[in-house]
Amino acid sequence: MNILLVNDDGITSEGIWALFNSIEGKGYNVWMVAPKFEKSAQSHAITTRDPLRVEQIQDRVWSVNGTPADCVIVAFEYLLKQHGNPQIDLVISGINAGQNIGDDVLYSGTVAAAIEAMCFGHKALALSIASYHNQKYDTAVHVFWKLFERGIVDLIEHREIFNVNIPNVEIEELQGYVVCQTGFRRYREMLTRTVDQRDREIFWITGNDPVFEKSDYKLDLHMVKENKVAISPLKIDFNNYEKIKSLGKRFEI
C-alpha cells in the first residue's frame, strides 16, 4: 500500500505528522507533500503567476510554497516521478485542525486537495477533527485505521471522495460511525470592520453562527455533535442533469 499525505494546515502541523508516523509505523509506504505555510480556506486555488519552490524536509517529505492543490500537482507531476514513480493507492488530506462540514467543503483546502487527487485518478479521503483547539489526534488516527480496516478505500468510486469529520473526544467516547450528507449552511456576520494603527479602514472575513438549512436527513454537523464520526461521500459533478433534460428542447434551434 502506497499512501500520499497532503493538507492545508502546513508542513509543521501536528495532524499530518501524527498520521505519517502511524502509517510508517505500520510498515506502509508513505509520502508527504504539504504547504510550507498554512493555507486554510484556499479552496481549489492553484498558483499560476508566481514560481513554486520545493524544499525536501526529510526522506519522502517535501514542502511547497503554494496551495494544497499545488502540492498535489507537484507531487504527481514531479516529485513522485523523481523518486521511483510509485503507484499511489490512496491520498489522504489531513488530519485537518477543525471540521469541514456543510458549506465548508466549498472553501476548504483540505477537501480541495482530495478533489485534486481525485482529478489525477486516485482514491482520496479528507480527514478533519472537529476542533480548532487541543485536538485529540490519537482519536483521529484511530478512526482512520478503523475505516481502513473496514475497507473504505475499496468503496471510493470514480470521481468521488470521502469527507470524514471526527469528534474531538477520547477514543472511548466515540459513539459510532455514520454515513451521512454534508449539509448546507451559511455563515452570518462574516465581515468585521476595524482600523489599523494609522486609522485606515480594514476588513476581516471571519464567520460566526453558521445556520444550517432544515433537512429530514442526518447531517454531518449533527452527527459530530453526537460524538459520531461523520462520513460523507462527495461526488464532484456540477452538472444538473434533470435541468439539462427539462431545458434541452426549449433552447434547441
Side-chain angles (χ1 to χ4, degrees):
M1 172 70 74
N2 295 323
I3 299 173
L4 172 66
L5 301 185
V6 294
N7 74 355
D8 72 0
D9 286 334
I11 193 70
T12 61
S13 69
E14 186 179 349
I16 198 169
W17 281 103
L19 199 52
F20 181 92
N21 292 331
S22 177
I23 293 170
E24 191 174 54
K26 288 184 178 287
Y28 294 104
N29 298 318
V30 58
W31 290 261
M32 182 197 301
V33 184
K36 185 173 183 178
F37 307 106
E38 182 185 350
K39 293 291 181 178
S40 297
Q42 293 292 293
S43 188
H44 212 122
I46 58 173
T47 303
T48 61
R49 291 177 174 82
D50 294 296
L52 293 174
R53 300 184 187 277
V54 177
E55 179 182 355
Q56 183 155 15
I57 306 302
Q58 65 181 53
D59 185 37
R60 297 187 180 184
V61 177
W62 298 268
S63 70
V64 178
N65 67 328
T67 68
D70 289 336
C71 292
V72 176
I73 294 169
V74 171
F76 285 115
E77 290 286 310
Y78 180 74
L79 290 173
L80 293 173
K81 289 180 179 179
Q82 297 298 310
H83 293 80
N85 199 22
Q87 175 58 46
I88 298 299
D89 302 298
L90 176 65
V91 178
I92 305 172
S93 186
I95 303 165
N96 188 65
Q99 69 271 11
N100 279 301
I101 57 179
D103 286 357
D104 292 350
V105 300
L106 299 174
Y107 308 114
S108 168
T110 302
V111 173
I115 294 171
E116 185 64 25
M118 178 212 73
C119 291
F120 272 89
H122 295 277
K123 297 190 175 188
L125 297 172
L127 298 180
S128 303
I129 191 160
S131 177
Y132 295 106
H133 307 285
N134 303 317
Q135 293 90 357
K136 301 182 187 301
Y137 288 113
D138 286 349
T139 299
V141 171
H142 167 84
V143 166
F144 165 68
W145 287 117
K146 283 294 183 184
L147 296 175
F148 184 83
E149 291 163 4
R150 295 181 187 184
I152 193 169
V153 178
D154 295 330
L155 299 176
I156 303 172
E157 297 181 355
H158 179 64
R159 297 198 66 78
E160 176 183 68
I161 70 165
F162 280 13
N163 185 41
V164 181
N165 283 278
I166 303 158
N168 192 44
V169 297
E170 301 293 344
I171 294 171
E172 58 271 17
E173 296 178 276
L174 290 172
Q175 296 300 309
Y177 297 71
V178 179
V179 178
C180 61
Q181 290 187 192
T182 187
F184 294 95
R185 70 173 186 170
R186 294 301 301 167
Y187 289 96
R188 297 181 298 182
E189 300 176 358
M190 292 180 66
L191 198 64
T192 300
R193 177 194 172 276
T194 184
V195 295
D196 65 14
Q197 70 273 21
R198 296 184 180 179
D199 204 36
R200 295 174 298 193
E201 189 175 52
I202 58 175
F203 295 88
W204 292 93
I205 294 178
T206 53
N208 297 306
D209 256 352
V211 177
F212 266 84
E213 291 184 7
K214 292 183 179 180
S215 173
D216 294 330
Y217 299 96
K218 296 177 181 177
L219 299 181
D220 45 11
L221 172 69
H222 304 138
M223 297 301 98
V224 170
K225 283 186 174 181
E226 294 175 10
N227 288 348
K228 297 175 182 177
V229 176
I231 306 162
S232 300
L234 304 182
K235 292 291 286 184
I236 313 304
D237 186 344
F238 289 105
N239 289 292
N240 185 333
Y241 292 102
E242 291 301 317
K243 208 60 172 272
I244 290 171
K245 291 178 181 178
S246 64
L247 292 181
K249 293 183 179 179
R250 176 172 297 189
F251 292 100
E252 287 179 359
I253 298 175

